[in-house]
Amino acid sequence: MKGTGVSQGIGHGPAYILTASVPEPPAGQTYPGEAQEEKERALAALKQVAGALEARGDLAGGEAKEILQAQALMAEDPGLIVGVKSLIDGGLAAPRAVYEAFGKYREMLAGVGGYLGERVADLDDIRDRVIAHLTGQPLPGVPAAAAEPYVLIARDLAPADTALLSKDVVAAFVTEEGGPTSHTAILARSMGVPAVVACPGATTIPPGALVLVDGLSGEVRLEPSDDEVSGLVGAQAARQAAIAAVRGPGRTKDGHPVPLLANVGGPEDLDRALVNGAEGVGLYRTEFLFLDRAQAPALEEQEDAYRAVLDAFPGGKVVVRTLDAGADKPLAFLKASAPEPNPALGERGLRMFKLHPEVMAVQLAALAAAAQGSEAELHVMAPMVATAEEARWFAAACRTAGLASAGVMIEVPAAALRADSLAQVADFFSIGTNDLAQYTFAADRQVGALAGLQDPWQPALLDLIAATAGAASDNGRPCGVCGEAAADPLMACVLAGLGVTSLSMGATALPAVRAALAAHTLGECELAAQAARGQQTALHAKAAARSNLPGLSELGL
Ligand code: PEP
Ligand code: MG
């Protein structure tokens, strides 16, 4: 079978098929007592499920915690509750009312598609948990311990299923649904477990059958021969050993330094960054700390959170991004001035601080306080900067707050085109390739159908990166990349060749990027970058880069 590989590695073991075990409540199901009692029963079940999801998140920590907290919020969504109550008023019993109210939301999300469409699995999971609670049925779930690691197969997986699993229990994940931004993919990558999604027919695999999963190619083999297993496992072990043998700071084969930094969303990501040899933090997404807040967090609370990250890297560099609110990262306490038909093009990122300068002042003061006496080097940057005036305004606010280094993210094409002017007022650049691709190609990053335009190998995107890095260098300013593109070992070499001075990524990607850089000279990276930019399509650009970087195949990358 073949699906999309979303978390690299080889996993094999007996198949464990997770089947939906909570049946649909009968259509038109009614209740014997009072409507009020039935509504209370439904609300209590929703509350219980939200609480249990939060508790599970606290136990799991890290990325799983954030995901489960978001799911808990969905369970208590006011709109959903109104829907459940009115269905009960209309005569439906609580289980059926819950089923139908969730159904409406489900349709809406599935209709939107992309990232939101992939949240359907989370919604189905909450629905099943609430119905199971109301009807006294056992909850859906997977074994948390096993004699030998199993390959977990499902139509789709909910974070609550996977959050408490570990590599010792699960050899690989395979799902029929889902995409590269589904939670199965995100959690599998952060756990380091191989995963294949969008694999048609996967749930027809007989339980217990031996399954071999290649999370790179997306291949799922049934009852493989011993030779097949040992061949693939051996190749994978050799690849991992070759990658793990490369240690120390990021640099090319001829010693050109390219510091390798981690993207973090909160203090719980720090262990993973340290284990994978991050030299510092290249992007601290501070808005992730406050996604669930109704009020702006107090200065002291912010100061503590920032200090925890600075303390993890004594002598290292920590780049903190100020709140990037709006569009895909809404914050309740930072609202646009009017409803926006197109939030990605609205008052988001730094623009939000123009509306709420008091929130910016508190964040900058908290950062300055955290930096006091710290052994780490604090750099602060603003997201979504479009013009040199905005960069100047932000840098001035940082200086007033007593911050030594104020940079800007380059995520808007206008900023890349005018990078020379911006470099004269900002201390450093960090290119956010995720948003830069979105705005360059007018292709919403949450719309899966536009993934081809979101591809960082698009030659136009490479041109903008080259222009930005060139302008930074002309002005003696560092220029990093902190978008997803930096996590691809092949692209990382090309970025170094384009003149990018540091790379920041999800920590589990660091070892492979370190090994890829160490296998090539800066000259080879520059030739690969030039060859890629000389192409007309993303596909050709990638192929041209690869043929100039032979060390990658030797590493099995
Ligand atoms: C980016 O846009 O590339 C980036 C790193 O920021 P975020 O993904 O948080 O928007
Ligand atoms: Mg961005």
Side-chain angles (χ1 to χ4, degrees), residues 45-431:
L46 285 161
K47 197 170 167 117
Q48 198 280 340
V49 167
L53 287 168
E54 279 216 40
R56 198 175 272 232
D58 287 341
L59 216 56
E63 219 146 354
K65 179 172 170 175
E66 283 163 29
I67 292 172
L68 286 167
Q69 277 175 344
Q71 218 190 353
L73 280 179
M74 280 189 199
E76 294 199 285
D77 181 272
L80 191 85
I81 290 176
V82 170
V84 171
K85 284 183 178 168
S86 86
L87 286 162
I88 293 176
D89 279 332
L92 284 184
R96 184 69 201 179
V98 165
Y99 183 84
E100 291 191 10
F102 272 81
K104 290 214 175 88
Y105 267 63
R106 189 182 198 287
E107 255 170 52
M108 227 161 61
L109 284 185
V112 173
Y115 180 85
L116 283 178
E118 286 170 12
R119 302 285 81 81
V120 159
D122 305 352
L123 206 60
D124 288 351
D125 179 61
I126 308 169
R127 179 199 62 200
D128 287 351
R129 282 168 195 279
V130 176
I131 294 174
H133 187 79
L134 284 167
T135 53
Q137 298 177 68
L139 286 177
V142 291
E148 77 176 296
Y150 55 84
V151 172
L152 181 58
I153 301 174
R155 269 178 61 72
D156 210 341
L157 285 164
D161 295 326
T162 49
L164 294 184
L165 296 175
S166 75
K167 251 177 140 153
D168 304 335
V169 178
V170 179
F173 296 110
V174 180
T175 62
E176 288 194 357
E177 310 276 332
T181 55
S182 61
H183 283 142
T184 305
I186 295 169
L187 286 177
R189 282 196 290 267
S190 80
M191 288 162 70
V193 171
V196 171
V197 300
C199 182
T203 54
T204 61
I205 292 174
L210 188 62
V211 182
L212 179 63
V213 180
D214 184 342
L216 185 63
S217 69
E219 248 179 273
V220 176
R221 293 190 212 174
L222 278 193
E223 300 294 358
S225 68
D226 289 349
D227 284 352
E228 269 180 300
V229 174
S230 55
L232 264 182
V233 169
Q236 163 75 0
R239 176 162 70 201
Q240 270 174 347
I243 288 171
V246 184
R247 300 195 164 262
R251 62 193 156 216
T252 58
K253 196 173 179 177
D254 53 337
H256 172 73
V258 185
L260 296 179
L261 311 165
N263 290 355
V264 302
E268 58 280 354
D269 290 331
L270 294 174
D271 281 351
R272 210 177 291 139
L274 291 167
V275 167
N276 287 291
E279 293 162 59
V281 169
L283 169 63
Y284 184 3
R285 292 180 161 109
T286 55
E287 63 284 349
F288 279 24
L289 288 170
F290 309 118
L291 283 175
D292 56 346
R293 294 303 173 81
Q295 307 291 333
L299 190 147
E300 295 71 30
E301 185 188 354
Q302 294 196 44
E303 182 186 334
D304 288 350
Y306 306 148
R307 185 169 295 114
V309 177
L310 289 164
D311 285 353
F313 291 96
K317 179 171 155 172
V318 172
V319 183
V320 179
R321 173 171 77 186
T322 52
L323 297 169
D324 186 13
D328 56 335
K329 310 181 204 82
L331 291 180
F333 59 90
L334 277 179
K335 286 242 187 296
S337 47
E340 295 177 331
N342 208 337
L345 302 180
E347 288 170 312
R348 59 162 296 204
L350 184 65
R351 302 165 187 185
M352 203 66 104
F353 275 164
K354 293 220 177 114
L355 291 177
H356 305 277
E358 68 295 347
V359 178
M360 175 170 77
V362 172
Q363 182 167 34
L364 297 183
L367 283 163
Q372 285 283 329
S374 165
E375 287 173 46
E377 217 183 274
L378 173 66
H379 302 262
V380 178
M381 64 181 182
M384 282 296 292
V385 173
T387 67
E389 284 118 284
E390 287 178 347
R392 188 178 293 111
W393 178 73
F394 178 71
C398 288
R399 308 253 182 278
T400 307
L403 292 162
S405 170
V408 294
M409 288 192 74
I410 303 290
E411 343 186 59
V412 179
L417 291 168
R418 283 295 172 127
D420 188 62
S421 318
L422 273 82
Q424 291 171 30
V425 288
D427 295 320
F428 66 93
F429 287 161
S430 183
I431 306 178

